[in-house]
Amino acid sequence: MSYIAEYQRSMNDPEGFWRKQAEDLDWFRFPQQTLTRDADGVGYWFADGEMNTAYMALDHHVKNGRGGQLALIYDSPVTGTKAKYTYAELTDAVARTAGMLADLGVVKGDRVIIYMPMIPEAVISMLAVARLGAIHSVVFGGFAPPELALRIDDAKPKVILTASCGIEVKRIIEYKPLIDKAFELAKHKPQSCVIFQRPQANAALTAGRDHDWAALQAKAKPVGCTPVKGSDPLYILYTSGTTGKPKGVVRENGGHAVALKYSMSAIYDMKPGEVFWASSDVGWVVGHSYIVYGPLLHGCTTVVYEGKPIMTPDAGALWRVCAEYGVKALFTAPTAFRAVKKEDPQALLMKPYDLSKLLTIFSAGERLDPPTEAWLTEVSGKPVIDHWWQTETGWAITANLRGVEPMPVKSGSSTMPVPGFDIQILDENGHEVGRGTQGYIALKLPLPPSCLNRVWGDDNKFRDGYLSMFHGYYATGDGGYIDQDGYVFVMGRVDDVINVAGHRLSTGEIEEVIATHPAVAECAVIARDDDLKGQVPMGLVVLKSGATMDEAVLQKELVTRVRDAIGAITCYKDTVVLARLPKTRSGKTLRKTLCNIVNGKPYTVPSTIDDSGVIPEIIETLRSKQFVA
Ligand code: COA
Ligand code: AMP
């Protein structure tokens, strides 16, 4: 099958195309409705099918002879631990954990927050929640208590599952104080919190609220899978938008399972029994889709890695894991490869390893910059495949379909639309632009299976946030172009979302934190280009009149505030005090202009600027602090 034929089939007969893919899964009742649409053109897939995602990902394989095959490999250089689970063992662990949650009163539709490091129990927890037909919301362990509290208040979980600590290279991060703080900040009070005690830190339990994971497990009985509808939510995953408050992307069971199963063969060219490694974190969408659900739905072995690409212990870590477990496809973010390249430019640490089983390296999370791609291709000798996606879609929008027809790689492009995605480049009035012209990347409705069709608790947020910009389209928030050959080039966000080391953050949210400082009158947070992390946030602040503050002290205080409010992953470091910010006459701060100035890019000053003298003044200040040449 050629890529074009596959893609055209998905466009000409979407229902037939996806019904066929749905046949590859083990439903309790096969869906009669493949696709329904509402008045806005939003699609709902497999709504009346009956299923359970954990059943499809585990029990189904055990019933079909894969019980003895490895499902999950845990490799933790930070604790010196390794463990392996067969499909039968993982199914048992999940069934017992589901029993533990049922004992705590969790039933279908309840929410459970999972705040855990990269340990098998994180994956087991997700699948156990799914087994009960409940809805999980995983919160990345690097988020600070206020972020956790926001998610508690929005998702209103009955239970929180956590661990006593995470480990950042050698630093032990105790979770209990973070959980306590989040409980204190949140208005909603979850009924219980279950803590998995790790040998590196023991959490003192809060009476009446906290439970010891091992003690509950010892009493729990394994439970079966609760049937859910295809349209029932499997999970909520919060992601940064343009406002200060993260959005809860809702993922439905049916479309998610169908799209991920299809992607494992079509995009990643994986066969059941092979080893797939997404070196990410279960707190991100990549972790949900390709550490947990995709590989297991497809009967593959997945790797849960608790470590970094460098420092644990060195820049050979990725290659060591690939060789040790015979990984066929490796998937991580460009920033990880940039870190490896910086530490080991000649890839000497790759040499000791037999990487003959590793056939393809996939990259996503941010644009794969051509120098990193060229380096990785050269040192690995493997195809390096960029693919573009978002939390909202749950899988790739553009990719090189390695399992359908491998296409030539074009540097800087994430290749072509994945079947089901109708990608258009639009101008600001919603008109299609020609090939080679940059514009807003929009997806024509209905979106294919797995993509969001609502935001948790706020339908207006979905419609206003994604559908109102262009009638009949989902606005991705990314800009880019399609070249003459149909290759898509995603060039970056067109809104106030930034990407720091593959982590999606909102500049608006950082601004809100900075604005709480008593000396700050107003601020603009912009993304500064960074060789390692792609982008890092930088704060341009104006002090309150009469406020005098040592800049170094202010900088330190703002760093602490941002770390405490959002998390260290924000990588907020630089603050520059300005006399004023450039604004339009209607009071809008010219963030894009500031961003281009700081990054040495050509910039325009709109004719609506309030005072044309402000830009030279800012450039002078930035120059004096060596932020611009
Ligand atoms: N819990 C607590 N803190 C965390 C954390 C977690 N789960 N993850 C990161 N942090 C902290 C780090 O310890 C660091 O703190 P510090 O400023 O006190 O040193 C800070 O957040 C920044 O972390 P990070 O961006 O990971 O920087 P790093 O210097 O520790 O590592 C890389 C650099 C490139 C190795 C790392 O960013 C990386 O592996 N990136 C790949 C990201 C990725 O896989 N993204 C998934 C998308 S597919
Ligand atoms: P997240 O929702 O965290 O996965 O972040 C999604 C955003 O990351 C997208 O909107 C893009 O801005 C960026 N992104 C992810 N993958 C790519 C890619 N391959 N190329 C360019 N940008 C990407």
Side-chain angles (χ1 to χ4, degrees):
M1 172 77 72
S2 73
Y3 160 75
I4 292 294
E6 179 87 346
Y7 181 73
Q8 282 310 334
R9 261 191 334 124
S10 80
M11 289 292 109
N12 297 340
D13 177 19
E15 295 199 38
F17 183 89
W18 291 112
R19 198 165 44 242
K20 177 98 190 51
Q21 311 310 332
E23 285 168 8
D24 286 344
L25 290 164
D26 193 353
W27 300 79
F28 299 148
R29 183 171 168 271
F30 194 77
Q32 303 304 300
Q33 296 168 350
T34 303
L35 171 68
T36 42
R37 298 173 208 215
D38 67 15
D40 292 327
V42 177
Y44 301 83
W45 292 93
F46 310 112
D48 68 346
E50 278 186 26
M51 60 175 295
N52 181 288
T53 299
Y55 176 87
M56 289 172 164
L58 296 172
D59 305 61
H60 163 79
H61 298 305
V62 175
K63 286 192 177 149
N64 287 276
R66 288 196 183 277
Q69 183 204 302
L70 280 186
L72 186 153
I73 297 168
Y74 168 56
D75 186 297
S76 169
V78 296
T79 59
T81 322
K82 292 176 186 175
K84 290 181 177 171
Y85 293 71
T86 63
Y87 267 95
E89 289 165 343
L90 190 60
T91 306
D92 286 349
V94 167
R96 188 168 296 278
T97 305
M100 171 182 95
L101 289 168
D103 291 344
L104 292 171
V106 175
V107 295
K108 183 176 165 184
D110 282 343
R111 275 81 57 213
V112 175
I113 279 192
I114 300 170
Y115 184 67
M116 280 197 169
M118 283 292 288
I119 53 178
E121 286 70 20
V123 177
I124 291 168
S125 296
M126 292 165 76
L127 290 159
V129 174
R131 193 171 185 88
L132 293 175
I135 304 165
H136 61 71
S137 186
V138 183
V139 179
F140 176 59
F143 278 126
E147 288 289 320
L148 179 55
L150 273 177
R151 287 152 175 83
I152 292 174
D153 277 337
D154 199 71
K156 301 194 172 42
K158 197 177 252 180
V159 174
I160 296 194
L161 300 175
T162 189
S164 57
C165 68
I167 298 146
E168 275 295 293
V169 189
K170 292 199 173 84
R171 192 159 46 106
I172 292 173
I173 307 210
E174 294 202 24
Y175 280 16
K176 183 64 182 5
L178 308 177
I179 290 276
D180 286 348
K181 183 78 192 159
F183 265 86
E184 190 188 310
L185 294 171
K187 288 191 197 70
H188 172 81
K189 304 293 170 199
Q191 281 172 20
S192 5
C193 174
V194 185
I195 303 181
F196 178 79
Q197 300 280 14
R198 307 189 73 189
Q200 295 77 14
N202 189 64
L205 304 185
T206 301
R209 186 196 75 189
D210 294 349
H211 303 269
D212 177 66
W213 173 285
L216 291 193
Q217 291 268 335
K219 288 190 288 189
K221 301 259 175 315
V223 296
C225 297
T226 304
V228 297
K229 294 267 182 251
S231 55
D232 283 333
L234 169 68
Y235 68 78
I236 307 165
L237 181 58
Y238 289 85
T239 189
S240 301
T242 46
T243 65
K245 197 167 167 249
K247 287 178 288 212
V249 169
V250 176
R251 187 85 58 225
E252 294 183 350
N253 277 277
H256 172 255
V258 172
L260 291 198
K261 172 84 173 111
Y262 171 72
S263 71
M264 287 303 293
S265 50
I267 297 178
Y268 301 105
D269 194 23
M270 293 296 294
K271 294 188 183 53
E274 295 175 335
V275 184
F276 189 86
W277 180 26
S279 175
S280 177
D281 188 289
V282 288
W284 306 113
V285 66
V286 171
H288 279 62
S289 296
Y290 294 111
I291 295 173
V292 186
Y293 290 109
L296 297 179
L297 284 164
H298 202 49
C300 291
T301 303
T302 188
V303 181
V304 173
Y305 175 70
E306 190 181 23
K308 302 244 176 191
I310 55 172
M311 306 182 277
T312 58
D314 57 32
L318 294 177
W319 319 127
R320 195 265 302 161
V321 173
C322 287
E324 193 165 331
Y325 305 116
V327 171
K328 180 180 175 190
L330 164 68
F331 174 176
T332 192
T335 189
F337 296 124
R338 287 196 296 268
V340 172
K341 178 179 161 199
K342 192 165 164 227
E343 298 275 303
D344 182 24
Q346 284 160 336
L348 298 176
L349 294 167
M350 187 191 266
K351 300 266 181 306
Y353 299 110
D354 173 6
L355 294 175
S356 54
K357 288 206 174 133
L358 179 65
L359 295 194
T360 320
I361 300 176
F362 291 90
S363 167
E366 54 181 307
R367 181 167 181 259
L368 177 60
D369 53 291
T372 304
E373 186 227 301
W375 174 81
L376 190 56
T377 308
E378 193 194 320
V379 299
S380 70
K382 318 276 178 194
V384 177
I385 307 298
D386 186 12
H387 58 328
W388 166 56
W389 50 303
Q390 307 186 316
T391 304
E392 288 85 344
T393 61
W395 68 307
I397 310 164
T398 55
N400 196 325
L401 297 196
R402 304 296 295 176
V404 175
E405 181 196 17
M407 313 277 284
V409 170
K410 266 200 198 188
S411 202
S413 166
S414 47
T415 317
M416 295 202 190
V418 164
F421 287 99
D422 186 348
I423 301 181
Q424 303 293 337
I425 310 292
L426 305 179
D427 66 17
E428 57 198 10
N429 300 314
H431 300 127
E432 283 177 35
V433 301
R435 291 275 162 111
T437 304
Q438 285 222 35
Y440 297 89
I441 312 182
L443 310 176
K444 203 158 187 205
L445 297 175
L447 300 175
S450 162
C451 300
L452 90 170
N453 53 27
R454 64 193 127 137
V455 165
W456 182 256
D458 191 347
D459 206 36
N460 288 338
K461 235 184 190 177
F462 172 60
R463 285 168 208 269
D464 295 349
Y466 298 101
L467 308 185
S468 62
M469 190 166 177
F470 304 116
H471 182 67
Y473 292 87
Y474 161 91
T476 63
D478 281 301
Y481 63 96
I482 303 180
D483 78 0
Q484 300 302 335
D485 300 323
Y487 278 67
V488 180
F489 289 73
V490 181
M491 304 308 290
R493 297 289 302 197
V494 289
D495 53 15
D496 297 328
V497 168
I498 63 170
N499 200 313
V500 181
H503 306 139
R504 177 168 159 182
L505 300 168
S506 148
T507 53
E509 198 173 1
I510 305 172
E511 283 174 7
E512 280 185 17
V513 177
I514 293 178
T516 60
H517 191 285
V520 172
E522 58 175 339
C523 69
V525 170
I526 54 158
R528 202 166 152 229
D529 293 344
D530 184 82
D531 284 348
L532 176 62
K533 301 196 174 181
Q535 296 183 317
V536 287
M538 172 182 190
L540 303 173
V541 309
V542 178
L543 296 185
K544 281 184 183 154
S545 101
T548 47
M549 219 161 152
D550 180 80
E551 277 199 34
V553 174
L554 176 69
Q555 168 135 320
K556 230 170 129 205
E557 289 179 2
L558 292 181
V559 167
T560 307
R561 264 172 201 256
V562 174
R563 284 174 79 99
D564 290 350
I566 305 177
I569 47 155
T570 322
C571 298
Y572 180 80
K573 217 167 74 208
D574 296 316
T575 300
V576 175
V577 174
L578 300 175
R580 54 205 171 127
L581 291 171
K583 301 216 173 154
T584 61
R585 270 175 232 121
S586 60
K588 211 168 165 288
T589 305
L590 299 173
R591 288 185 179 74
K592 181 130 184 79
T593 307
L594 288 169
C595 187
N596 286 350
I597 291 172
V598 166
N599 292 312
K601 293 190 180 136
Y603 61 90
T604 48
V605 181
S607 56
T608 53
I609 191 164
D610 190 28
D611 171 0
S612 57
V614 67
I615 295 287
E617 182 186 297
I618 288 173
I619 292 175
E620 203 33 57
T621 308
L622 289 168
R623 190 171 290 132
S624 70
K625 297 181 195 295
Q626 287 163 4
F627 282 109
V628 299

